Amino acid sequence: GNRAVLVEGLVAADVQGNWDPIRRQRGMFALLGLSADQVARLRDEFAVYVVSRGRINVAGLTAANLPHVIASLKAVIEG
C-alpha cells in the first residue's frame, strides 16, 4: 500500500518522472533513480535520508511524513 500511495502522491504533486516502475517493484525499498547530488540535497536540506541512487524505505512512509517526502523529492528533482 505504501508504494502505491507514494506513486499516487508523486503523480498528484506533478513531480517530473515516470513513477510506474516504482509501483511494480517489490519489497521494503524502492529505487527512485536519483543522482548523488540529489541524494545529498535530500539529506542536507530536507532531512530525508535515502541511500545511493535514491533507494528509499517505503515501509517507513506514513501519512504524517509522506507530504514532506513528496515535497522534498519535487524540490530536488525539479531544481
Side-chain angles (χ1 to χ4, degrees), residues 31-53:
L31 184 59
L32 301 173
L34 303 175
S35 70
D37 288 340
Q38 289 170 320
V39 169
R41 280 193 66 206
L42 279 176
R43 180 190 64 236
D44 298 341
E45 294 177 34
F46 301 100
V48 174
Y49 298 90
V50 299
V51 294
S52 65
R53 303 276 306 152

Side-chain angles (χ1 to χ4, degrees), residues 1-20 22-23 32 58 61-63 65-75 77-78:
N2 283 2
R3 187 177 303 278
V5 171
L6 172 61
V7 171
E8 290 165 10
L10 291 167
V11 170
D14 200 28
V15 179
Q16 297 172 3
N18 176 11
W19 305 112
D20 288 335
I22 292 173
R23 191 184 306 270
L32 301 173
V58 293
L61 296 174
T62 66
N65 66 22
L66 192 62
H68 175 70
V69 170
I70 290 170
S72 301
L73 286 168
K74 184 174 179 76
I77 289 170
E78 296 180 2

